[in-house]
Amino acid sequence: MAVPTQELKLEIVNAATGKTLGARAAPGADGALVVRDFPEGGPSPEQWQLTPVQAAQGGQAQEEQAYVIGNAASDKVLDNPAAADGGIRQWDAAPGTEAQQWYLVPVAGEAGLYFIEAATDGAVLDLADSTDLADPDVDDTRVVLREHDDSAESQRWRFVAAEPERVSDPVLPWASLDHWNGRRSWRLGRPTALRPAPGATPCFSDMLLVLEKFGSDQDAGGWKSYKANHSPSGQPGWWAGLGDRFLADTTEAGRKDIVGLKPAKGAVASSGRGDGTFDDDERVLHQSAPSSHPADLWTLVDLTGDGKPDVVVLATDGVQVSPQNEDGTFPPAGGEPVLKAFGHGQQAGGWLADKHPRFLADTTGDGRLDIVGCHDDGVWISLQEEDGTFAPIGDEPVLKAFGHDEKAGGWLDDKHPRFLADTTGDGRLDIVGCHDDGVWVSLQDEDGTFADPLYVLDDFGVDQGWNSVEEHPRFLLSTADGGAVDIVGFGPQGVVVSRGRGDGTYERAKLVLNDFGSDQGWTGKKHVRLLADVTGDGNPDIVGFGDEGVWVSRNRGDGRFKQAQLVCRGFGYNEDAGGWRVDRHPRFLTDITGDGRLDIVGFGGPGVYVARNLYRRFRTR
């Protein structure tokens, strides 16, 4: 687990006994600390907060981060009185006192466990032997300082974050309107509890069924995805498979349309009207080619920057590209591929969706999208030329790392996420990956080559408790407008952020929000968690589709997030929130009305549902 920030309240639990750090049941005047049980119905366990010591004396940065561990209720702090018996206590805070400063040293190979080391002499917190107890009948075990022993389980401690604080905002209901020509429309109602105001908290309308198609029910088409690893955001550069549904501007009209990949028919679309609804008619957008295969991967993206979308397919024989026709449709893929690589057939390299991630990204900053893939032996890249063609790949990978085979690092698609991101601000994309031991970065040089990967952070890896991509999604993006690219992840205990330094390295990871993690009941099999700017301030917020509905945690603008709010009582796992399932009901955040705010669009059982983003339009009284 990452080191928490000072905003979070924590219990400190001993790994050997499972008991919590605190004062005795009848605390003494000396402030001595023990570990003890806190039975139900009794006093609540004491909670602590970690405050980082900003700088060592003389103004020099500390090699390791020291912390003051303070009692959240009494403002007293963990103190080392250098007593003969080694006992520690909680005492009045004295800023700058080294005896009140502690290092948190992760236990190797034990995710979430730490040694708590005194800054004065390197001794660590431990439990007194039973022979040292003044009264062996008392079920309070004193906490003392001892020389570090890597095999002593009693010297290992776990930080348990308090239950998250959550709030709920009312939502606005839809009111159906009937028209003389038989068409239906809706308007938003205004409960008396709401009034127009700027600066409102995030709020969405109730969800509304706007199209009885593209749903998982048989009456709505019986749609289902045939592969597991489709994009959660539907953004360009990600790939869709057979049965997937997403939203894209297919006509250059500035409106989002619904697109679905239909077996034996190809890509079909329902045009957006710009008001949150979609046409009832389903049009064929891109016919399947005779050579189409269920393993083909598909995306709709502007390859060349000319404003027109292109269909790109990773087919059996390589990369197929279909430019848009004048009528807004796309010719079926066929004929010679534009690049005989990155396909799932052996003649195109044998790239498999569950082993070899592939990306469309502008790696050089020239405005053209290139193809990047991580195969068994490392990273392969095909640069897009000025005429829109793709350069043939070489005989060797551009980097013998980030690959599936052991010689290339043993990267597994379900455990080790890999990203392309500009970590230095030079306009060129670097390669970032989270392996077992933590984060590795390969910087791109001016000549387009990639340097050997560097180990930059001991977090976000399997060894630190990030067991899978599904359970613990991670993102690379800037959490502050104009800032460097940060790492944001949904870890076991909540949201963890590591701020980018702008040079390819990262600051120590911090637990910034005790929510959206597995300890709070969030799981990849039931819930979707995304990062998106739902308030329009330029900073990404946390959006989670939970049990009760949609939760939003606003970005503070400095790598931290506010407590979550329930903003929509729909699109959730519980039956009273719609009974949405990850494997059948994709959900997206996109602007479908052109007002600059991201709305919620979901493909449920009966069809397509929409909830309008009402941020800055209403607030509670």
Side-chain angles (χ1 to χ4, degrees):
M1 161 189 138
V3 175
T5 59
Q6 60 264 37
E7 286 86 1
L8 299 186
K9 298 177 181 179
L10 313 155
E11 295 172 18
I12 302 178
V13 180
N14 185 264
T17 65
K19 296 181 178 181
T20 307
L21 176 69
R24 285 193 173 101
D30 61 354
L33 291 173
V34 298
V35 295
R36 67 187 185 94
D37 287 320
F38 289 84
E40 290 189 18
S44 299
E46 283 169 281
Q47 295 181 349
W48 306 82
Q49 291 175 294
L50 305 182
T51 303
V53 179
Q54 296 302 323
Q57 292 187 7
Q60 298 298 318
Q62 299 181 105
E63 185 175 341
E64 294 292 336
Q65 179 67 66
Y67 293 87
V68 173
I69 303 177
N71 191 303
S74 67
D75 292 329
K76 293 185 180 296
V77 301
L78 208 66
D79 184 273
N80 171 19
D85 62 357
I88 66 160
R89 63 181 181 175
Q90 55 179 331
W91 208 248
D92 294 332
T97 301
E98 193 175 14
Q100 296 179 351
Q101 297 178 12
W102 308 85
Y103 296 114
L104 306 182
V105 182
V107 178
E110 295 285 347
L113 293 182
Y114 290 86
F115 298 107
I116 302 177
E117 179 183 297
T120 51
D121 56 9
V124 299
L125 293 194
D126 199 351
L127 302 184
D129 294 332
S130 58
T131 55
D132 292 337
L133 293 174
D135 183 357
D137 294 328
V138 176
D139 193 28
D140 296 345
T141 305
R142 288 189 307 118
V143 179
V144 299
L145 280 171
R146 283 214 177 94
E147 183 179 348
H148 171 258
D149 180 357
D150 200 52
S151 63
E153 190 177 7
S154 59
Q155 295 183 359
R156 304 177 183 190
W157 302 83
R158 186 184 308 277
F159 297 101
V160 179
E163 288 296 316
E165 297 176 7
R166 295 170 174 164
V167 295
S168 175
D169 251 11
V171 295
L172 298 191
W174 293 94
S176 179
L177 298 177
D178 295 323
H179 298 273
W180 63 270
N181 58 5
R183 284 200 58 183
R184 291 185 303 162
S185 65
W186 300 265
R187 62 176 175 80
L188 289 169
R190 283 187 54 192
T192 57
L194 300 176
R195 62 185 174 89
T201 56
C203 182
F204 285 79
S205 70
D206 285 333
M207 67 178 189
L208 175 70
L209 179 64
V210 298
L211 183 64
E212 295 180 1
K213 292 183 178 181
F214 295 96
S216 58
D217 294 349
Q218 288 302 314
D219 292 343
W223 287 76
K224 63 178 180 178
S225 297
Y226 291 81
K227 68 182 187 66
N229 56 334
H230 61 279
S231 164
S233 61
Q235 295 303 309
W238 292 84
W239 306 99
L242 204 60
D244 282 342
R245 292 143 287 166
F246 56 95
L247 293 107
D249 181 3
T250 66
T251 60
E252 302 174 71
R255 296 191 297 265
K256 292 295 175 64
D257 307 319
I258 295 171
V259 180
L261 300 183
K262 212 169 201 178
K265 196 168 184 179
V268 297
S270 176
S271 298
R273 297 182 177 133
D275 60 356
T277 64
F278 300 89
D279 285 344
D280 293 330
D281 295 332
E282 183 183 284
R283 58 189 173 90
V284 176
L285 188 70
H286 176 70
Q287 292 182 351
S288 295
S291 60
S292 293
H293 190 279
D296 290 353
L297 297 179
W298 193 96
T299 193
L300 183 68
V301 63
D302 180 7
L303 277 178
T304 60
D306 62 359
K308 295 182 178 181
D310 307 289
V311 169
V312 182
V313 180
L314 301 180
T316 304
D317 53 356
V319 181
Q320 301 274 0
V321 176
S322 299
Q324 190 178 51
N325 295 323
E326 292 296 328
D327 62 357
T329 62
F330 298 85
E336 287 294 310
V338 298
L339 183 65
K340 294 181 179 180
F342 300 105
H344 51 84
Q346 290 302 314
Q347 68 270 36
W351 294 74
L352 304 178
D354 59 352
K355 291 175 63 176
H356 309 130
R358 284 151 285 177
F359 309 90
L360 277 172
D362 179 9
T363 62
T364 60
D366 61 4
R368 298 186 295 271
L369 297 183
D370 311 306
I371 304 176
V372 183
C374 301
H375 207 281
D376 292 336
D377 50 359
V379 180
W380 296 79
I381 295 180
S382 173
L383 299 178
Q384 188 181 171
E385 308 287 2
E386 292 185 8
D387 60 358
T389 61
F390 288 90
I393 60 176
D395 296 328
E396 296 286 335
V398 299
L399 183 65
K400 295 182 178 180
F402 299 102
H404 183 81
D405 289 348
E406 288 299 323
K407 290 184 179 180
W411 293 75
L412 304 178
D413 197 57
D414 61 340
K415 290 187 175 182
H416 307 136
R418 283 150 281 181
F419 308 90
L420 297 174
D422 181 7
T423 65
T424 61
D426 61 4
R428 297 185 296 272
L429 297 186
D430 311 304
I431 303 172
V432 183
C434 303
H435 207 281
D436 289 343
D437 51 358
V439 180
W440 293 78
V441 175
S442 174
L443 299 179
Q444 185 180 175
D445 297 325
E446 293 184 3
D447 60 359
T449 60
F450 288 86
D452 289 336
L454 295 175
Y455 181 62
V456 298
L457 187 65
D458 57 347
D459 212 324
F460 298 102
V462 174
D463 292 347
Q464 294 87 31
W466 302 74
N467 298 323
S468 71
V469 173
E470 179 186 45
E471 287 303 318
H472 304 300
R474 280 143 277 182
F475 300 84
L476 259 69
L477 73 177
S478 175
T479 60
D481 191 18
V485 174
D486 308 317
I487 304 174
V488 182
F490 298 95
Q493 290 198 322
V495 181
V496 178
V497 173
S498 177
R499 301 296 303 275
R501 295 191 176 104
D503 60 358
T505 64
Y506 290 87
E507 296 178 2
R508 181 188 296 267
K510 293 182 179 179
L511 177 66
V512 301
L513 185 65
N514 58 331
D515 209 342
F516 299 103
S518 54
D519 284 0
Q520 295 85 32
W522 293 78
T523 170
K525 296 185 183 300
K526 294 171 59 178
H527 309 125
V528 178
R529 289 156 288 180
L530 304 172
L531 285 147
D533 179 13
V534 299
T535 61
D537 62 358
N539 297 321
D541 309 297
I542 297 171
V543 182
F545 295 84
D547 289 334
E548 306 90 344
V550 184
W551 294 85
V552 169
S553 179
R554 285 194 62 184
N555 191 321
R556 296 177 183 265
D558 57 358
R560 299 178 299 161
F561 297 87
K562 296 182 179 180
Q563 294 294 341
Q565 291 179 295
L566 182 63
V567 300
C568 181
R569 298 183 184 275
F571 303 101
Y573 184 85
N574 291 346
E575 290 302 319
D576 57 1
W580 293 70
R581 299 295 182 259
V582 170
D583 60 342
R584 299 199 301 271
H585 306 138
R587 284 149 282 182
F588 302 93
L589 292 163
T590 188
D591 180 10
I592 58 173
T593 61
D595 62 2
R597 292 187 290 263
L598 297 182
D599 308 298
I600 303 172
V601 181
F603 297 87
V608 182
Y609 288 85
V610 167
R612 293 281 301 278
N613 188 339
L614 308 175
Y615 178 64
R616 294 195 181 279
R617 190 175 296 178
F618 297 92
R619 76 173 181 189
T620 55
R621 286 192 184 276

